[in-house]
Amino acid sequence: MKPAPFRYVRPASVAEAISILAAEGYGAKALAGGQSLIPAMNFRLAQPAVLVDLEALNELRYIREAEGGLVIGAMTRQADVERNAAVSERAPLLAEAMPWIAHVQIRNRGTVGGSLAHADPAAELPAVMQALQAQLRVRGPAGERTVSADDFYLGLFTTALAPDELLTAIEIPALPERTGCAFEEVSRRHGDFALVGVCAVVTRDAGGACSRAAITLLSVGDGPVRAQKAEEALVGRPPTGDAIHDAAEAAATRDIDPPSDIHASAAYRRQLARVLTTRALTTAAGRAAGG
Ligand SMILES: Cc1cc2nc3c(=O)[nH]c(=O)nc-3n(C[C@H](O)[C@H](O)[C@H](O)COP(=O)(O)OP(=O)(O)OC[C@H]3O[C@@H](n4cnc5c(N)ncnc54)[C@H](O)[C@@H]3O)c2cc1C
């Protein structure tokens, strides 16, 4: 298939891109790496009248260290995040999840902002950013606002972005002391979208108990799912055997309502959620203890 006819513009600045989006309204679409939008256009699932190419916006391409955390420009390539030493050191969950995204050729073109804005429920980055409690910077004609990754996802392929707004950057806060992270995923073949994925961030107090947990799942709902019941089952207890078992059970049975589709049944996805949550929490808790 070929895309429906469209007009192509290549703004030189974020301000120019936003004014074009504002003028064109729902007919316009931002183009980042094109790894999701172009296939959707080729299948005519998306038929924008105007394609606003963000390729020239180098001002959105950076990884900066900030107050123990990171700020990543929306147009930063996924491959550049994957290979960045500061990301490995300050956001190890993000570094661990990156190789699970598609294939290296796709990560060479695909951007962090594009993946977050696309809001595919099977994508790794939305769940990672929720687990890391990231804040997303969004700019539109009225100026800049910040939206938490928890509030950014509204439903299937739907975010809090207005048609005339761009995601410009992602702020990842510093991890507290005695925090460990882990990412687990099962897909049919390497590079395929996840059947289920789990992100775990566990913080332990001086006595070894879990003082804070962030657990998110992907490919089990309309968007990334924060497993709040699982988190409640863990906090205040030593993150070992029984507590991890209870958290994984809560994640699989109470936090998620996974779909059945041609790739996997809902029951299979629940079982994967149970197993992968157990693995992710065990690894994260071990890392939090310095293991
Ligand atoms: C074969 C294949 C396998 C894949 N497997 C995976 C996988 O396993 N996991 C995974 O997560 N992804 C996967 N992807 C998708 C890939 O990660 C894409 O790169 C990503 O989803 C979109 O990023 P992009 O930069 O290419 O965005 P684009 O395709 O250019 O844009 C995607 C959407 O986001 C909007 N957008 C982009 N940037 C902005 C911005 N700054 N502000 C506002 N809106 C914006 C666009 O308007 C569009 O609606 C796969 C893709 C392919 C082709």
Side-chain angles (χ1 to χ4, degrees):
M1 288 282 287
K2 295 283 177 231
F6 59 89
R7 232 166 7 99
Y8 172 86
V9 285
R10 190 175 163 120
S13 67
V14 171
E16 188 187 347
I18 289 168
S19 70
I20 296 169
L21 289 170
E24 301 288 344
Y26 280 95
K29 270 250 167 239
L31 174 69
Q35 299 302 296
S36 297
L37 182 55
I38 298 296
M41 288 171 66
N42 286 343
F43 285 116
R44 302 207 174 188
L45 296 170
Q47 299 194 15
V50 186
L51 213 49
V52 183
D53 190 353
L54 308 183
E55 180 63 27
L57 306 187
N58 287 326
E59 61 193 290
L60 298 184
R61 206 168 270 139
Y62 59 85
I63 300 173
R64 292 186 192 134
E65 301 181 26
E67 294 170 14
L70 291 169
V71 184
I72 301 177
M75 280 297 288
T76 308
R77 305 272 181 218
Q78 294 162 4
D80 290 332
V81 171
E82 185 178 354
R83 299 187 195 116
N84 186 278
V87 171
S88 301
E89 187 194 322
R90 294 175 175 228
L93 178 68
L94 177 57
E96 195 173 354
M98 290 311 299
W100 287 94
I101 302 174
H103 305 277
V104 71
Q105 294 87 343
I106 291 162
R107 298 196 295 275
N108 279 337
R109 290 293 309 164
T111 64
V112 175
S115 175
L116 294 173
H118 188 54
D120 189 318
E124 287 80 4
L125 291 182
V128 166
M129 294 308 172
Q130 282 195 345
L132 292 176
Q133 303 186 355
Q135 298 285 325
L136 309 191
R137 284 187 204 158
V138 169
R139 209 182 304 168
E144 187 169 275
R145 64 192 178 106
T146 303
V147 186
S148 73
D150 279 340
D151 293 338
F152 190 71
Y153 292 98
L154 303 181
L156 200 59
F157 295 102
T158 309
T159 70
L161 282 171
D164 56 2
E165 284 183 319
L166 284 180
L167 175 60
T168 55
I170 301 97
E171 298 170 12
I172 300 175
L175 292 170
E177 272 183 75
R178 292 186 292 268
T179 296
C181 307
F183 182 83
E184 290 282 344
E185 174 174 319
V186 166
S187 56
R188 276 178 183 271
R189 298 166 302 184
H190 182 74
D192 281 4
F193 276 99
L195 293 180
V196 173
V198 178
C199 307
V201 181
V202 174
T203 304
R204 304 180 78 148
D205 63 21
C210 173
S211 56
R212 197 185 78 155
I215 304 166
T216 58
L217 289 94
L218 52 123
S219 213
V220 294
D222 285 350
V225 176
R226 185 91 191 251
Q228 283 173 335
K229 301 286 181 211
E231 293 170 4
E232 285 164 18
L234 205 61
V235 171
R237 303 167 71 186
T240 50
D242 283 352
I244 288 180
H245 173 271
D246 293 348
E249 202 54 33
T253 59
R254 296 164 69 202
D255 283 315
I256 63 172
D257 183 14
S260 288
D261 57 29
I262 54 167
H263 304 296
S265 67
Y268 182 59
R269 282 200 162 91
R270 277 194 203 281
Q271 177 60 8
L272 279 181
R274 186 178 283 116
V275 171
L276 297 182
T277 304
T278 303
R279 286 184 195 163
L281 287 175
T282 304
T283 304
R287 288 173 176 168

